[in-house]
Amino acid sequence: RQLGDGPGAIAALVARNAWLTGAQRESNHELIWTWLRQTENFAAAAPLQAPDYVSDGWLQLGQIARNLWREEGPLETALADWQSRFATHPANPRWVVATRDYVRGALLASPGRVALLLPLNGRLAGPAAAIRDGFFAAYYRYGGGTTAVSLYDSSQDAAAAYDQALADGAEIVVGPLDKPGVTALTERSVGEVPVLALNYLDTPGPAQKLVQFGLAPEDEAVAVADRAIIDGRSRAIVLTGTSDWARRSSTAFSQRFTEAGGRVLETQYFSGNAREYPDTIRSLLNLNDSSSRHSALERLLGTNLEFEPTRRLDADMVFLAASPEEGRQIRPQFRFYHAADLPMYAGERIYTGHPDREADQDLNGVRFCVMPWLLDDSEELSAVRAQSSRLWPDSERRFSRLFAIGYDAFTLLPLIRSGTWSAGQVFPGATGNLSLARQDQRIQRQLPCAQFVGGRARRLSAGAEI
């Protein structure tokens, strides 16, 4: 389980059952059920593989518990189908009933009145509209039922909007979007109703009922560092832009990579001026040193020498924090400067989120970690995204990532309201596999990784693919 093989862990517990009797066996079944609900290794879209009938039955039951907690309609159908296929399974009937109660418990926690606090005017109006549209996309997808959603403008005074939402009877508040607005709520000692803030505080807040959810660049950078370690990389050089996002991403990558046992040999920063890229890349690859040695040797010998510069050989990867436009110019230059064989990893924003085979050919080989919504390789998310593109084309196209966070915000409402989201529970969302860090009430995202192949983003398997 610790090595990331969830199905294998369940199979091991099933094999253990042969040596147990009575109460011990029931305790073992309870452990299986707990692991099925809590282990992040079951949240991936990859098909589950089990070596035997009993293990397969447990895995399929766990999949029902994890994937149907947002919808009541398909639950009974799925359980009936499971019982017909696994009629003699030891999970019958106790753990089938437990699955039904677990899913229904989450559904019953759905709030009757939801307040959505967003800046409907000003510079954040566009991003806020995308979050709003994503929120309602999930509302219609899962059949909002008895949930009523009221929209409040928080562009001027988030605290006042919050007070008005409470006065109107809101049972849960989603928002605000900007950091000052989130801070304003913590200063008012939020606690009357749960709040799902759509940004992160710079420091832990005092409000226990305020859960923080956002798209921190640190999430993707940590995922990339973990992926690089899985791939066997141990010595990195870093090339990063100077924007706040790029700096945070490269810093988080370096910290995680070092913590995992790797070494960051050098970091270079590039400006937005593409004409300066060659000098920065040459310096990062130590090609300037190679040229200096060549010139010194020519002076010493007094003759012209044929010369091919040699790049540094101590690094086994490069991490790039850049936009798609920057990356499409930088990646080919690594090939030009004799570093085509140096594996390149990048932050999530190297990908626009919309397939562009011709433009992304220049990024071939680059590995990055990205939210599932943008990978478009899940049958469920692909269908939802296609429908969303038709209904809300501007929001989904211009602000895909924010549309996805709005989508997830709605689906998480039962968990936030019930307060039963325990440590270790991971839920597959559009923005990643989501877990809650109880110590600071921050939702953390675990991201799948992909690679540009033929100008398209292709998901990588969980194991190393060198």
Side-chain angles (χ1 to χ4, degrees), residues 124 144 182 210 298 355 395:
L124 293 178
V182 177
L210 188 142
E298 283 188 329
S395 291

Side-chain angles (χ1 to χ4, degrees), residues 155-171:
S155 54
Q156 297 297 322
D157 191 337
Y162 170 77
D163 290 341
Q164 185 60 54
L166 292 190
D168 293 341
E171 298 172 31

Side-chain angles (χ1 to χ4, degrees), residues 38 420-426 435-438:
Q38 294 186 347
T420 58
W421 196 349
S422 62
Q425 279 187 298
V426 179
S435 60
L436 180 63
R438 279 293 180 187

Side-chain angles (χ1 to χ4, degrees), residues 124-417:
L124 293 178
I131 291 175
R132 176 202 63 203
D133 293 345
F135 191 88
F136 280 103
Y139 176 90
Y140 293 121
R141 167 69 177 83
Y142 295 113
T146 59
T147 299
V149 181
S150 298
L151 191 60
Y152 297 84
D153 186 3
S154 63
S155 54
Q156 297 297 322
D157 191 337
Y162 170 77
D163 290 341
Q164 185 60 54
L166 292 190
D168 293 341
E171 298 172 31
I172 188 170
V173 173
V174 179
L177 175 60
D178 59 310
K179 281 183 182 289
V182 177
T183 302
L185 262 60
T186 63
E187 291 173 350
R188 297 174 73 84
S189 299
V190 173
E192 294 186 50
V193 299
V195 175
L196 177 60
L198 300 177
N199 209 322
Y200 294 113
L201 296 167
D202 293 327
T203 57
Q208 292 303 307
K209 286 196 174 184
L210 188 142
V211 175
Q212 304 167 57
F213 183 33
L215 302 180
E218 289 82 2
D219 292 336
E220 66 205 48
V222 165
V224 172
D226 290 343
R227 179 73 210 192
I229 292 294
I230 288 174
D231 289 345
R233 313 302 176 200
S234 60
R235 302 178 308 279
I237 53 177
V238 176
L239 180 61
T240 175
T242 56
S243 67
D244 176 68
W245 165 82
R247 287 179 180 273
R248 288 172 60 188
S249 182
S250 59
T251 299
F253 168 83
S254 298
Q255 181 177 342
R256 179 68 166 212
F257 192 70
T258 302
E259 290 173 351
R263 291 176 56 205
V264 176
L265 305 176
E266 185 176 350
T267 298
Q268 287 276 358
Y269 295 88
F270 64 85
S271 69
N273 187 349
R275 289 177 295 182
E276 298 177 9
Y277 293 169
D279 288 341
T280 304
I281 294 170
R282 285 175 59 87
S283 177
L284 183 64
L285 295 175
N286 286 353
L287 290 173
N288 292 337
D289 293 345
S290 181
S291 297
S292 297
R293 289 192 298 271
H294 167 247
S295 299
L297 189 59
E298 283 188 329
R299 288 194 301 271
L300 178 65
L301 299 177
T303 184
N304 293 327
L305 301 173
E306 290 188 9
F307 168 68
E308 183 173 323
T310 302
R311 71 164 176 86
R312 67 190 305 160
L313 299 176
D314 56 345
D316 61 9
M317 67 161 291
V318 57
F319 175 75
L320 175 66
S323 68
E325 295 77 15
E326 293 165 340
R328 290 166 185 158
Q329 297 180 70
I330 289 172
R331 173 63 172 164
Q333 294 191 47
F334 271 79
R335 300 190 187 101
F336 179 78
Y337 287 118
H338 316 284
D341 60 336
L342 186 62
M344 179 174 285
Y345 294 73
E348 181 191 51
R349 297 196 192 183
I350 196 73
Y351 183 43
T352 62
H354 299 277
D356 190 340
R357 191 166 188 171
E358 183 176 354
D360 288 337
Q361 289 281 354
D362 287 332
L363 294 172
N364 281 343
V366 176
R367 295 188 168 198
F368 60 102
C369 299
V370 63
M371 65 173 64
W373 183 262
L374 301 185
L375 270 183
D376 224 19
D377 63 351
S378 158
E379 184 176 344
E380 177 185 357
L381 286 181
S382 295
V384 174
R385 192 177 182 192
Q387 183 182 45
S388 299
S389 296
R390 293 193 299 270
L391 297 177
W392 298 280
D394 186 59
S395 291
E396 206 290 317
R397 182 75 190 179
R398 291 179 58 210
F399 302 104
S400 295
R401 291 169 171 84
L402 293 171
F403 191 97
I405 200 173
Y407 188 89
D408 277 353
F410 179 83
T411 63
L412 291 174
L413 290 180
L415 291 174
I416 302 301
R417 182 167 185 255

